[in-house]
Amino acid sequence: MRIIKTCLFLIFLIIASDALANDIRLQKTSFVPQWVPQAQFAGYYIADELGFYRKHGINLSMINGGPDNPPSELLKNGLAQFATLWLSSGIQMRAEGIKVVNISQIMQRSSLMLVAKKSSNIKTPADMNGKKVGLWGPDFQIQPKAFFKKYNLDIKEIRQSFSVNLFLRDGVDVASAMWFNEYHTILNSGLNPDELKTFFFHEYGLNFPEDGIYTLENTFKNYPGLCRAFVDASIEGWKYAFAHPDEALDIVLKNLHKAHIPATRVHQKWMLMRMKDLIFPDDSDVPMGQLVPEDYYRVASILKENGLITQVPDFKSFYQKCSSHGDK
Amino acid sequence: MINRGIGLKLILLILTSVTLIFFVIFGYNYVVSRDLIIKTAEENARNLAKATVNRIDTVLISVEKIPKNLACFMEFFFYEGGQIIDLVGSVVESNPEIFGSTIAFEPYSYNRNSLFFAPYYYRNNGKIDFSYIPYDYFYWDWYQIPKQLNRPTWSEPYFDEGAGNIVMSTYSVPFYRTLLGERKMMGIVTADVSLAWLQEIAGSIKIAQTGYGFLISKNGTFITHPDSSLVMNETIFSAAEERNSMELRELGREMIKGNSGFVPFTSLVTGKRCWMVYAPLASNGWSFAALFPQDELMEDITRLNHIVISLGIAGFIFLFAVIILIAGSITRPLRALSKASDIIATGNLDVELPVIKTRDEVRKLADSFSYMKTSLTRYIKELTETTAARQRIESELQIARDIQMGILPKVFPPFPNRTEFDIYAVLEPAKEVGGDLYDFFFLDNDNLCIAVGDVSGKGVPASLFMAITMTLIKAKATKGLPIGEILSMVNNNLSQDNPSLMFVTLFFSIFNISTGEIEYCNGGHNPPYLIRSGGEVKPLETTNGIALGVMEDFSYQSKKIVLEKGDMVFLFTDGVTEAMNEKDELFSEERLEREIARLKEKPLKEMTSGMMEEIKNFCQDAPQTDDITMMILKYFGK
């Protein structure tokens, strides 16, 4: 009798302490990607949906990014502890004195590109001279402008909205596009790849690695474990997404519907596949999450050349390797 | 047996031919009627597309006129103060098809102080509301595209959340001013239209049971479609990508290029094979398409085909039965006839022939068969009778022959106690009763009468004539008359009452066994050979007598010879010398003489049999046509 009672009590203790510990141990934090839910952020949504963050002791709240919720602002104001930013944006913020640190460089390659119709006879960068080129906002103009400078091009800059209709209607000769997004939209508006001439910046010595995970330096200093846990869970999410694309797409689409954003599976699938190409480029063996100094200095020096920053921030304080995933 | 015969052949040939013919006709009919239906469907489809496109274009073009007029107005009139705001308001108010309208100015074009100026009137829950467009509109499609293209454009359809999530499209017309000799764009006049009515028009299109119409934009975006998950969400190209269908993608490209066509297509809703007609809207290049489910359009012809095939199968079975019947009606009597003929072949002519009721070739065959059977029966009966008659005659002839032969002396030696001479005779009759004769008899103790003759002709008359001759000779000879007289008397008796003009050659002699003298008289007969014991063989001299029965009152002369001891006389009829072989050669006197010389030392019996053997050797297989008679007299002396 005694023994049984003791055992029951012990079991009760174990269960109670475990439940209690879970609540205590889970650290509340929030994350904002640059944009609304889409496969560009599949890894984070998968990690959230499949409990990878919880597994790593994080009770995460996902904030939808986009024009109304710019991650840089949320990060700066402490409304989100983690955010994804382009490397160029991160460097600019740091240079401006906002102490952000890159704790993981997810994308190794820029997906920003210029695209032209072959019918407009643009086959080389030089052919763009005097042509109307659609450009997005400032962040998206750094590479194109460096590109025009590099090839000494005098183009007619046309401000481009987030639709590609201006390009489709021949309102511009060259359009800006993200490989994983607008390029596919163009394809799915009836233009065939062989009718298009593409200019990937990374092929012209202007590779700007895009999405990376950022946090404030203070956060990193105070909660290094949390940062590591967040990055590990995110990378796990990405790896799972590429290993199980159909499940990943289901989760991404679920989040899109939740946000009332019309979505097509084929487009998200294209995006996921391209993310894989951008995160794991065929011709690169940089481990996931690692920021390569060459990439950093290339981006920083171009920013400086263009007067967007006055001084190149110190790489060592900008990038804090923060992952137990050392492999590719 | 029937299954390998006419029946099977008929079934195979006719049914194969009929099936072939049926399928050719059926196939042709199917192809032609299908083509006809496709042609009609295509015509209907094109008409439907044309009508629908016209309906939509009529509305869109009427909408286009309003901002166009407004833009025209803006080019020529000053737009100071709030007047143009009111103008926009009244445009919206007076044009119910317009959901909202604005005149959006280029930066600082309305006045030098305002970067944007875009007064916007729009419908809101039945009333008309006003606001300034609150954002930097210069880079929006509805503003930027017409500006860059320098021409009015319809925007891609979009969801307007403010208007209650209805699909809208904006028609934008740029307007210009000429300032300092330069034509400069001042702004854009727009008219927003709800596309809800498009849904109604396209949605109301029902073709057969599952056919439908849909509309895609210039980018290929579905504006209306029965599958609402596609509408404003997917393009025809993303749908093609999802279905991995290059065909659909190519079709989409044709559609957004502003082409029209009539093509096979798989429905995105039902998965059925359809024909799709598509045609562009003249106003904005969007493309309308309508689907005609093939199986539903083909329903009638499919049903017809099923009926035709069923009828064909029924006809096939019917034909099968009919052929079996016909084949049976032909082969059954044939088989019965065949069976009957087998029985007839065994000799049973009483077999009952099958009764054929039809009036065709089989009946004719049966009739011929029956006639043949009757003829055969009659013929066999006649044959039996004839044979019986012939057999009777033959047996009578045989009797006659036996009698005839019976007349001839046949016991040798005939006079065993007379040592002075020996005599031997043989008569080998031919098949028919012949007319040869021989005889010998004693007239008294010393005189032996010998006769050999040959009656002209054959058969019963000849044998009768021969019998008469022998009787006459015997009768006359015994009277003791001189030999010539005896012959003359016999001749006279035979010549009288001889209507059939028969005659007989006759060698007649009387042999005195004491003296060895022979007195002979030859009536037209082959002269016998005298064979001297010394070996000489020669014919007896002729007496110049003619055959008996030819001429009455002929006087016959006689001659005499004397036989020495060992001499022989060989008498014969022409059956010996005229025996013929297959080469039509005669045995001849030469051969006879040669043989006599060869055989003369042998006993008489062996001599005749040797001679007979020689004749048979000569004749080989040639039939014996005449009696063969030989007689040998040999004198030993007293």
Side-chain angles (χ1 to χ4, degrees):
Chain A
M1 270 317 270
R2 224 181 130 84
I3 293 167
I4 291 169
K5 266 187 182 172
T6 315
C7 284
L8 279 173
F9 181 66
L10 276 173
I11 289 167
F12 169 75
L13 263 184
I14 289 163
I15 293 167
S17 68
D18 195 51
L20 215 65
N22 253 347
D23 268 342
I24 294 161
R25 261 190 266 146
L26 277 184
Q27 207 162 344
K28 276 197 172 177
T29 189
S30 57
F31 165 69
V32 60
Q34 296 113 297
W35 205 248
V36 294
Q38 55 181 359
Q40 186 185 355
F41 313 110
Y44 314 108
Y45 287 100
I46 272 89
D48 186 35
E49 177 81 22
L50 299 181
F52 297 169
Y53 291 121
R54 293 186 77 81
K55 201 176 79 185
H56 286 85
I58 299 169
N59 180 8
L60 186 73
S61 67
M62 292 274 274
I63 302 166
N64 286 344
D68 301 334
N69 284 328
S72 53
E73 291 299 311
L74 269 63
L75 204 58
K76 194 163 69 180
N77 302 334
L79 295 171
Q81 279 74 53
F82 298 100
T84 57
L85 293 172
W86 278 19
L87 177 58
S88 59
S89 310
I91 293 170
Q92 280 177 283
M93 281 176 81
R94 181 111 190 153
E96 280 163 23
I98 303 158
K99 295 280 182 191
V100 292
V101 288
N102 182 319
I103 52 172
S104 183
Q105 183 59 41
I106 299 296
M107 285 166 75
Q108 295 297 337
R109 184 152 284 178
S110 59
S111 77
L112 185 64
M113 64 193 288
L114 293 176
V115 59
K117 291 180 188 168
K118 282 187 179 162
S119 59
S120 60
N121 271 326
I122 296 173
K123 284 164 190 144
T124 62
D127 295 332
M128 289 188 204
N129 232 339
K131 299 282 186 181
K132 290 199 240 179
V133 180
L135 297 179
W136 283 318
D139 283 351
F140 299 88
Q141 294 181 3
I142 303 163
Q143 280 164 289
K145 284 189 170 165
F147 178 80
F148 302 144
K149 204 167 166 185
K150 182 172 181 178
Y151 292 97
N152 200 18
L153 303 175
D154 182 17
I155 54 106
K156 283 186 203 148
E157 184 187 329
I158 304 286
R159 177 70 187 276
Q160 184 177 319
S161 71
F162 286 102
S163 93
V164 288
N165 292 335
L166 188 63
F167 172 69
L168 293 172
R169 300 288 167 272
D170 294 327
V172 289
D173 301 302
V174 183
S176 298
M178 299 301 282
W179 186 33
F180 60 73
N181 193 358
E182 284 79 10
Y183 180 68
H184 188 249
T185 305
I186 291 168
L187 297 183
N188 269 350
S189 298
L191 283 165
N192 288 345
D194 58 13
E195 293 170 324
L196 296 168
K197 172 65 194 170
T198 55
F199 299 90
F200 290 96
F201 290 117
H202 67 80
E203 289 175 357
Y204 292 89
L206 294 167
N207 185 31
F208 278 32
E210 291 166 358
D211 306 1
I213 302 171
Y214 290 83
T215 187
L216 290 177
E217 206 166 66
N218 278 341
T219 314
F220 175 69
K221 275 183 181 155
N222 297 335
Y223 307 99
L226 175 68
C227 293
R228 182 176 294 272
F230 182 80
V231 169
D232 283 347
S234 300
I235 288 176
E236 206 177 320
W238 275 115
K239 287 186 172 170
Y240 189 91
F242 296 140
H244 307 89
D246 282 324
E247 192 183 345
L249 286 174
D250 288 341
I251 292 168
V252 168
L253 285 167
K254 197 174 110 184
N255 282 285
L256 276 159
H257 291 312
K258 218 157 53 180
H260 304 289
I261 298 164
T264 63
R265 193 178 178 89
V266 288
H267 188 62
Q268 295 302 321
K269 187 179 178 188
W270 168 273
M271 197 180 277
L272 184 65
M273 294 300 109
R274 298 298 79 79
M275 288 307 289
K276 192 179 179 185
D277 295 336
L278 297 164
I279 291 171
F280 297 115
D282 283 340
D283 52 357
S284 156
D285 51 6
V286 178
M288 190 169 179
Q290 187 154 323
L291 177 59
V292 182
E294 295 87 73
D295 283 337
Y296 175 80
Y297 287 116
R298 181 192 311 115
V299 175
S301 60
I302 289 172
L303 289 173
K304 197 182 170 209
E305 276 169 36
N306 287 279
L308 292 164
I309 55 173
T310 49
Q311 217 153 11
V312 175
D314 177 34
F315 175 70
K316 278 186 178 153
S317 53
F318 177 80
Y319 172 64
Q320 301 294 340
K321 187 171 187 291
C322 198
S323 168
S324 356
H325 296 261
D327 54 331
K328 195 183 167 183
Chain B
M1 279 303 283
I2 170 149
N3 288 336
R4 295 171 150 220
I6 295 170
L8 187 71
K9 275 185 206 152
L10 281 177
I11 288 169
L12 276 179
L13 287 175
I14 296 179
L15 288 185
T16 310
S17 311
V18 166
T19 310
L20 209 69
I21 293 167
F22 174 76
F23 275 107
V24 167
I25 294 173
F26 175 79
Y28 179 76
N29 180 58
Y30 175 75
V31 168
V32 168
S33 51
R34 189 199 58 191
D35 288 353
L36 211 66
I37 285 189
I38 293 174
K39 212 175 137 195
T40 316
E42 179 171 355
E43 221 163 272
N44 289 342
R46 288 190 189 275
N47 287 340
L48 174 84
K50 204 168 154 189
T52 311
V53 162
N54 281 342
R55 265 177 82 188
I56 297 170
D57 272 337
T58 309
V59 178
L60 293 179
I61 288 164
S62 76
V63 168
E64 285 178 1
K65 281 178 184 154
I66 297 154
K68 271 181 177 165
N69 289 340
L70 206 52
C72 201
F73 171 84
M74 295 298 291
E75 295 201 5
F76 296 104
F77 296 92
F78 287 101
Y79 34 80
E80 311 292 310
Q83 288 159 351
I84 66 152
I85 298 173
D86 298 338
L87 186 61
V88 174
S90 72
V91 160
V92 175
E93 201 163 11
S94 54
N95 291 288
E97 66 270 32
I98 290 180
F99 178 81
S101 178
T102 184
I103 301 172
F105 285 83
E106 278 281 272
Y108 307 112
S109 290
Y110 180 69
N111 61 43
R112 286 164 197 277
N113 303 323
S114 313
L115 175 60
F116 339 110
F117 185 74
Y120 182 51
Y121 276 95
Y122 60 98
R123 292 175 197 282
N124 190 6
N125 290 328
K127 56 187 190 359
I128 292 165
D129 279 355
F130 173 80
S131 75
Y132 289 103
I133 289 178
Y135 51 83
D136 179 356
Y137 50 76
F138 305 119
Y139 311 118
W140 285 66
D141 284 348
W142 61 264
Y143 189 92
Q144 200 179 19
I145 293 173
K147 179 187 169 185
Q148 292 298 331
L149 298 179
N150 270 320
R151 58 176 164 83
T153 56
W154 280 96
S155 77
E156 278 291 295
Y158 56 90
F159 264 121
D160 191 304
E161 286 171 30
N165 257 338
I166 53 170
V167 179
M168 309 264 275
S169 180
T170 300
Y171 187 64
S172 311
V173 186
F175 62 94
Y176 304 84
R177 280 282 160 98
T178 305
L179 296 170
L180 303 168
E182 197 187 341
R183 191 172 147 84
K184 189 169 177 280
M185 198 198 88
M186 302 302 286
I188 301 281
V189 180
T190 72
D192 303 337
V193 288
S194 157
L195 298 181
W197 56 275
L198 270 181
Q199 308 265 19
E200 272 166 39
I201 288 181
S204 69
I205 289 169
K206 290 267 183 292
I207 299 149
Q209 281 101 57
T210 63
Y212 57 90
F214 68 90
L215 195 68
I216 61 169
S217 76
K218 200 75 184 130
N219 286 1
T221 305
F222 288 102
I223 302 168
T224 76
H225 196 279
D227 179 355
S228 60
S229 73
L230 295 175
V231 174
M232 293 305 293
N233 195 16
E234 301 250 12
T235 66
I236 195 164
F237 307 104
S238 65
E241 189 181 336
E242 179 138 26
R243 288 159 182 77
N244 213 356
S245 164
M246 281 310 291
E247 182 198 3
L248 182 57
R249 182 173 173 90
E250 278 313 306
L251 183 59
R253 281 164 58 84
E254 287 301 309
M255 288 175 78
I256 64 166
K257 274 181 198 162
N259 294 331
S260 55
F262 181 78
V263 292
F265 181 76
T266 306
S267 166
L268 300 183
V269 179
T270 59
K272 282 185 177 182
R273 288 304 293 172
C274 297
W275 286 297
M276 189 177 99
V277 66
Y278 60 94
L281 301 187
S283 50
N284 55 11
W286 296 354
S287 189
F288 169 77
L291 268 69
F292 292 70
Q294 291 186 0
D295 57 343
E296 289 164 25
L297 290 184
M298 288 294 191
E299 208 169 353
D300 287 342
I301 185 176
T302 307
R303 195 165 46 237
L304 179 71
N305 284 340
H306 286 161
I307 292 170
V308 169
I309 286 181
S310 307
L311 284 176
I313 291 169
F316 187 89
I317 293 166
F318 176 72
L319 203 60
F320 188 83
V322 167
I323 293 170
I324 285 182
L325 269 177
I326 291 175
S329 79
I330 294 171
T331 54
R332 211 176 309 112
L334 282 183
R335 266 179 299 151
L337 280 175
S338 153
K339 210 183 212 171
S341 78
D342 283 348
I343 297 172
I344 288 171
T346 65
N348 180 4
L349 285 171
D350 296 332
V351 67
E352 199 67 35
L353 283 181
V355 181
I356 313 289
K357 290 184 188 122
T358 55
R359 298 179 172 278
D360 54 14
E361 288 83 352
V362 179
R363 166 74 169 268
K364 223 168 156 187
L365 178 69
D367 285 350
S368 304
F369 216 80
S370 164
Y371 177 71
M372 183 190 82
K373 195 191 85 169
T374 318
S375 299
L376 265 181
T377 315
R378 197 173 59 233
Y379 176 72
I380 287 172
K381 196 173 154 221
E382 282 173 7
L383 194 67
T384 315
E385 282 168 4
T386 313
T387 310
R390 219 184 85 202
Q391 277 171 349
R392 197 175 62 239
I393 289 167
E394 272 178 3
S395 77
E396 279 167 7
L397 273 177
Q398 191 57 44
I399 293 165
R401 181 138 202 102
D402 291 349
I403 291 171
Q404 184 195 14
M405 297 309 261
I407 298 171
L408 303 172
K410 272 193 295 293
V411 182
F412 297 101
F415 313 112
N417 48 350
R418 308 299 289 248
T419 56
E420 300 91 338
F421 71 98
D422 193 8
I423 192 161
Y424 191 80
V426 64
L427 193 155
E428 181 73 28
K431 276 261 157 61
E432 288 178 66
V433 177
D436 276 15
L437 62 92
Y438 71 87
D439 205 359
F440 49 84
F441 50 87
F442 277 101
L443 296 174
D444 50 43
N445 212 26
D446 282 335
N447 289 306
L448 182 69
C449 188
I450 299 169
V452 172
D454 182 4
V455 178
S456 68
K458 290 186 178 72
V460 176
S463 67
L464 283 174
F465 203 76
M466 170 253 186
I468 292 168
T469 309
M470 283 189 72
T471 313
L472 281 173
I473 289 169
K474 214 162 209 170
K476 303 298 177 192
T478 50
K479 283 183 180 169
L481 295 172
I483 189 167
E485 213 157 311
I486 296 169
L487 222 54
S488 296
M489 283 170 73
V490 173
N491 177 43
N492 284 346
N493 281 350
L494 287 175
S495 302
Q496 291 160 5
D497 304 322
N498 182 11
S500 48
L501 293 173
M502 300 191 74
F503 61 90
V504 56
T505 64
L506 185 71
F507 178 87
F508 183 71
S509 62
I510 293 172
F511 171 49
N512 188 311
I513 57 170
S514 305
T515 63
E517 184 193 74
I518 296 175
E519 186 179 8
Y520 67 92
C521 190
N522 193 341
H525 196 78
N526 304 55
Y529 285 95
L530 172 64
I531 307 155
R532 292 290 181 191
S533 57
E536 187 192 7
V537 180
K538 63 168 186 184
L540 290 182
E541 282 175 27
T542 179
T543 58
N544 295 320
I546 60 166
L548 288 77
V550 179
M551 190 193 284
E552 213 177 325
D553 294 333
F554 184 83
S555 167
Y556 289 89
Q557 304 299 317
S558 66
K559 282 192 176 164
K560 284 179 182 169
I561 57 158
V562 178
L563 294 183
E564 301 296 329
K565 200 174 170 187
D567 287 352
M568 285 188 286
V569 176
F570 183 86
L571 303 99
F572 64 95
T573 57
D574 57 5
V576 175
T577 53
E578 289 171 18
M580 218 181 272
N581 67 10
E582 281 170 330
K583 291 181 221 160
D584 283 355
E585 289 167 346
L586 298 178
F587 190 71
S588 77
E589 276 85 1
E590 290 77 42
R591 225 176 243 105
L592 179 61
E593 283 169 23
R594 205 165 58 230
E595 289 308 311
I596 288 169
R598 189 173 65 86
L599 297 165
K600 64 184 186 219
E601 301 301 334
K602 303 208 179 229
L604 301 189
K605 194 176 175 182
E606 279 176 39
M607 234 177 124
T608 54
S609 65
M611 188 64 72
M612 195 59 81
E613 199 176 319
E614 196 56 37
I615 292 167
K616 279 184 180 155
N617 281 344
F618 174 76
C619 291
Q620 295 286 349
D621 289 333
Q624 184 190 343
T625 54
D626 204 356
D627 292 352
I628 297 171
T629 304
M630 287 178 277
M631 183 193 279
I632 307 172
L633 172 69
K634 190 167 186 178
Y635 183 60
F636 301 114
K638 274 245 182 209

